[in-house]
Amino acid sequence: MKQFFKFVFASFFGMMLFSIVTGFFALCGIVGMITSQDATKEPEENSVLVLNLSGQLSERSDNNFLSQLQGTQVNSLGLDNLIEGIKKAKDNDNIKGIYIEAGAFAADSYASMQALRNALLDFKKSRKWIIAYADTYTQGTYYLSSVADKVYLNPQGQIDWHGLASEPVFIKDLLAKFGVKMQVVKVGAYKSATEMFTGDKMSDANREQTSAYLNSIWGNITKEVGASRGLSVAQLNAYADSMITFADPQEYVKLKLVDGLLYTDQIKTVVKKQLGIDSDDDIEQVTIADMVNTEAKNQGDENNKVAVYYAYGDIVDGAVGGLFSQGHQIDAQVVCKDLADLAKDKDIKAVVIRINSGGGSAYASEQIWHQIMEMKKLKPVVVSMGGMAASGGYYMSAPANWIVAEPTTITGSIGIFGMFPDVSNLFREKLGLKFDEVKTNKYADFGTRARPFTEEEMSYLSQYVNRGYKLFRHRVAEGRKMTDNQVEKIAQGHVFTGQDAQKIGLVDQLGGLDVAVAKAAQLAKLPNYRTSAYPEADDVLDQILKQVKPDTYLSDELRANLGDYYEPFTLLKTINQQSAIQARLPFYPNIH
C-alpha cells in the first residue's frame, strides 16, 4: 500500500509539474502573440507589399485574439486596415510595389471595393508598380486587379465577367406553409423591404429603382476598368454578353483583359525582375498587418484630432444576440453614449461618422439623429458613406454638416414600415390550439397571437407609421435645407446610388473616407491634425474578461451554407427582438 501511494503521489506531482511547465510556455506564447501584434517593424529595403485578396471584406478589421487562439476566426479583411496599409506603403521608400494575389474574395459591396481600388490608384501616383495574378478572377477581384500595371492569369484560369444582377428572395408562400402571414403597414411606393414577405415578385416601382442603381453601379465598374485596361464601355459590355467566363484563356490576352498567362512559379520571376534582384534571391515580402504596424509619417498634432467613428450593421434599440444575430450592429444605446463622449473630448475638433448600414429600427435612428444634432453644437460632423447608408442609415446621416458618398454607395430609401407576423393560423389550424378571452377594454387584447389585427387596429397602426414617416422626412428636410415637399418628391422609399443622390441633393460630395476626413478638418479649420478611430478596439484583457460569443464561426458557416436564404431567416428568427417599426432597405440587396 505504501508503494501504491508513492506511485500515485509521483504521478500527481508529475502531472502538476507538466501542467505548470505547459502553462508557462502557453503564457509565453500568448504574450509573444500580443507583443508581436503591437510591435512596429520597418520593412526591409526593396520590399514588396503582398495583397492577398482572399476572405471576407468587412468595414473594419476584427482582430479577436481569442478567436485567433482557438482557430475559429474566419479570414476577415478590414477595409480600414487595407487602405491604411496601402497608404503607408505609398509613402515608405522601402516598398517598391504591390503584388496582388486574387483568390476566393467576397466584399460587402462594390462601394467598399471602389474605395479599395481608389487607394490602389492613389498608390500608383508614387510611380511605384502594381502586379496582379490569379488562378481565377471573380468579377470583384478583376475589378480591383484591373488597376495593376500588369495583370496575369494562370494558363488554365478564368475571368468571371458577366455584369450585375439582383435576385431577391420571396418567402410568402414558405411562411404560408407554416400558417404564418405578415401584416404590413408601409409608407412609400418604393419602400420594397416588405415585398419578400408579402409578394412573389418585384413591384414595378422596385424593379424600376433596382434597374437604375444596378446600371449606375455597373456603369462605374465598366468605366473604371475600361480606363485602366484601355477598353471602351461598349467592349466590356460585349464581353459580358458573350459568356467570356468560359473563353479560352488565350482569348483574354487578345481581348486585352490580361497581359499574359503564367504559372504560379513564373509570376515570381516577374516580381523579381521588377525588384531588380537575381532569380535565386528571395523576395522581401510585407503584409498589410506589417504596414499597419509601421510608424505613420507626419502624424499631426495630437491636440487637434479628427475622430473617425465606425457605425456599421443593422440599427437596433439594443443588441440582439444568439445564433442568428446579424454580427456587427449599430446599437443606439452604445452609439449615443460614444458620440456624447466624443463631443465632450476637447482634443477632438471634428468627427467623421463612417456609416455602412441598410437601416433598422426607426426609433433607434431617431435617437442617434438627436445625438448627432447635439454634437453639431460643439464641433463639425461629416458623414462618410460606405457600401450602404440607406433608410435608417440615411436618417443618421441627414443632420451632418456634410455628406460624402462613394459613387456606388446605396443610399436614400427615405421611408419606414411596420411588420407584424400573424401566427394565428399556425396555432389554430396547424397546431390545433384553441383560444378564449376575457377583457376589460376594447383593445386590451391588442397584439394577441390568437388572431390577426382588425381593420380598425390596422388603421391605428397606419396612422402611427405615417407619423414616423413624416418625422423622418422632416429630419431630412432640416438637415438638407429643403422643404418637406421637396423631400417628398425624392423620398417614398426610393433607393439611389451615391452618384445619383448627389444630383438630387441627398449627398454633398463623392469620395471615400479620406475625402470626408479632409472636409471635416477644413470645417474645423485645422491645418495640422491627426485622425483617431473609434470605438477603440478591445485589448486582449477586455476580450478575455468579456464573454466572447462562441457562435461566431457557426454563424459564418450557416451564412455560407444558406447563402441568399440566410438573411431572410435571420430576420424571422430575431423579429420579436427587434423594433416593429423599421427604416431599412430590402433586407439583403443580393447583388451579384
Side-chain angles (χ1 to χ4, degrees):
M1 183 63 71
K2 184 178 179 182
Q3 194 72 9
F4 171 76
F5 282 114
K6 179 180 178 182
F7 281 122
V8 170
F9 177 76
S11 300
F12 176 75
F13 180 77
M15 290 175 63
M16 286 289 293
L17 183 62
F18 175 78
S19 299
I20 291 170
V21 172
T22 303
F24 174 76
F25 281 112
L27 182 62
C28 290
I30 291 172
V31 171
M33 289 174 66
I34 295 171
T35 54
S36 65
Q37 284 184 332
D38 297 329
T40 58
K41 187 176 90 171
E42 184 67 17
E44 299 289 336
E45 288 186 13
N46 208 28
S47 293
V48 59
L49 172 60
V50 177
L51 192 58
N52 190 343
L53 295 181
S54 181
Q56 177 70 46
L57 180 66
S58 57
E59 185 64 41
R60 201 176 181 195
S61 57
D62 182 18
N63 296 321
N64 191 305
F65 170 74
L66 293 180
S67 296
Q68 293 174 12
L69 195 63
Q70 296 165 0
T72 59
Q73 178 157 313
V74 176
N75 187 24
S76 176
L77 303 172
L79 181 62
D80 59 338
N81 277 358
L82 287 169
I83 291 177
E84 181 185 354
I86 292 168
K87 185 177 180 180
K88 286 184 176 179
K90 174 190 174 185
D91 298 332
N92 194 301
D93 294 335
N94 290 337
I95 303 296
K96 303 304 179 186
I98 292 177
Y99 167 66
I100 300 173
E101 186 164 289
F105 178 76
D108 63 343
S109 65
Y110 272 97
S112 293
M113 287 192 282
Q114 190 170 39
L116 180 55
R117 194 177 191 277
N118 286 336
L120 292 168
L121 280 170
D122 183 64
F123 174 86
K124 292 179 69 175
K125 292 177 182 177
S126 64
R127 300 188 180 277
K128 298 179 181 181
W129 48 266
I130 300 178
I131 292 173
Y133 178 80
D135 293 320
T136 297
Y137 287 104
T138 65
Q139 188 163 268
T141 56
Y142 185 76
Y143 169 59
L144 289 170
S145 300
S146 64
V147 75
D149 300 281
K150 296 291 181 182
V151 179
Y152 295 101
L153 177 71
N154 189 288
Q156 299 304 314
Q158 286 182 308
I159 299 176
D160 185 14
W161 187 257
H162 56 265
L164 296 181
S166 177
E167 200 172 39
V169 178
F170 299 90
I171 62 173
K172 181 188 74 171
D173 292 344
L174 172 64
L175 294 178
K177 293 180 186 297
F178 296 94
V180 178
K181 180 181 179 181
M182 284 294 178
Q183 304 168 103
V184 170
V185 179
K186 69 168 187 170
V187 182
Y190 293 92
K191 199 66 182 173
S192 57
T194 60
E195 288 182 3
M196 64 186 293
F197 300 100
T198 60
D200 52 19
K201 64 179 182 178
M202 301 171 76
S203 65
D204 291 341
N206 189 25
R207 187 175 297 278
E208 173 200 323
Q209 70 176 355
T210 302
S211 177
Y213 68 68
L214 282 183
N215 279 292
S216 178
I217 294 170
W218 182 242
N220 274 273
I221 293 169
T222 51
K223 179 182 176 182
E224 292 171 23
V225 171
S228 293
R229 297 301 304 169
L231 296 167
S232 68
V233 170
Q235 285 175 297
L236 288 169
N237 276 313
Y239 295 168
D241 290 336
S242 65
M243 267 299 203
I244 201 168
T245 303
F246 302 105
D248 187 310
Q250 294 289 347
E251 286 295 305
Y252 298 140
V253 181
K254 295 176 183 176
L255 297 174
K256 297 175 65 177
L257 289 172
V258 299
D259 296 291
L261 305 176
L262 299 172
Y263 287 100
T264 52
D265 60 325
Q266 295 173 323
I267 193 65
K268 293 179 183 178
T269 303
V270 173
V271 174
K272 288 179 179 180
K273 186 176 180 181
Q274 284 292 136
L275 292 170
I277 60 177
D278 295 335
S279 58
D280 55 348
D281 289 339
D282 292 330
I283 299 172
E284 292 291 346
Q285 303 177 43
V286 295
T287 65
I288 286 292
D290 294 330
M291 291 310 306
V292 168
N293 284 333
T294 61
E295 290 287 343
K297 294 182 179 179
N298 303 320
Q299 292 188 25
D301 186 351
E302 63 179 11
N303 295 319
N304 288 328
K305 293 180 182 177
V306 174
V308 178
Y309 187 86
Y310 287 87
Y312 55 103
D314 289 340
I315 302 171
V316 298
D317 304 317
V320 177
L323 178 62
F324 282 90
S325 63
Q326 296 297 304
H328 203 281
Q329 295 172 326
I330 302 173
D331 183 349
Q333 298 172 20
V334 174
V335 172
C336 287
K337 182 181 180 301
D338 288 346
L339 294 181
D341 291 341
L342 293 178
K344 290 184 290 187
D345 191 325
K346 294 182 179 179
D347 290 336
I348 294 173
K349 303 300 192 291
V351 176
V352 173
I353 304 176
R354 173 71 174 182
I355 299 175
N356 191 348
S357 174
S361 164
Y363 175 84
S365 302
E366 167 72 10
Q367 307 315 302
I368 298 171
W369 170 89
H370 168 74
Q371 202 62 57
I372 294 173
M373 289 294 289
E374 290 298 301
M375 179 182 284
K376 276 178 62 181
K377 295 175 183 178
L378 301 173
K379 57 195 66 174
V381 179
V382 174
V383 160
S384 169
M385 293 180 169
M388 291 187 290
S391 204
Y394 193 83
Y395 202 136
M396 288 174 56
S397 305
N401 297 94
W402 196 258
I403 298 177
V404 179
E406 296 286 356
T408 53
T409 294
I410 299 294
T411 189
S413 192
I414 301 164
I416 67 172
F417 64 87
M419 189 163 61
F420 313 89
D422 170 20
V423 295
S424 59
N425 192 46
L426 167 64
F427 288 161
R428 292 177 181 275
E429 304 298 327
K430 306 291 184 181
L431 300 178
L433 301 179
K434 304 297 181 185
F435 297 90
D436 205 344
E437 69 176 14
V438 176
K439 60 183 182 180
T440 60
N441 295 87
K442 185 177 180 180
Y443 300 113
D445 63 338
F446 175 74
T448 176
R449 296 189 179 190
R451 62 169 177 79
F453 290 131
T454 65
E455 190 173 317
E456 191 175 8
E457 288 169 336
M458 288 296 287
S459 175
Y460 280 113
L461 284 170
S462 181
Q463 292 174 37
Y464 178 62
V465 171
N466 269 283
R467 189 166 71 248
Y469 171 67
K470 289 177 181 177
L471 179 62
F472 185 179
R473 187 182 63 190
H474 184 64
R475 297 305 191 207
V476 174
E478 286 180 312
R480 301 309 299 165
K481 296 179 174 56
M482 298 177 178
T483 66
D484 286 19
N485 287 336
Q486 286 175 320
V487 175
E488 179 64 16
K489 293 176 182 178
I490 55 176
Q492 292 287 321
H494 203 303
V495 178
F496 305 95
T497 59
Q499 181 174 273
D500 292 335
Q502 186 192 29
K503 297 173 185 176
I504 57 176
L506 292 179
V507 166
D508 294 298
Q509 188 175 4
L510 298 180
L513 181 59
D514 56 335
V515 172
V517 169
K519 183 63 181 182
Q522 179 190 344
L523 292 175
K525 299 177 181 178
L526 300 176
N528 184 26
Y529 62 92
R530 68 167 59 185
T531 59
S532 297
Y534 299 90
E536 294 178 345
D538 290 335
D539 59 27
V540 175
L541 182 59
D542 287 334
Q543 291 180 33
I544 292 172
L545 292 177
K546 282 184 178 180
Q547 288 252 314
V548 180
K549 289 186 295 183
D551 56 26
T552 302
Y553 181 71
L554 182 56
S555 295
D556 286 328
E557 286 295 293
L558 284 167
R559 183 185 294 275
N561 285 304
L562 290 175
D564 295 341
Y565 301 99
Y566 177 82
E567 305 290 347
F569 276 109
T570 54
L571 179 57
L572 288 174
K573 185 70 177 177
T574 62
I575 195 166
N576 289 326
Q577 299 167 280
Q578 300 188 39
S579 171
I581 308 302
Q582 295 278 305
R584 69 159 71 243
L585 275 175
F587 200 70
Y588 183 57
N590 195 12
I591 298 172
H592 58 82

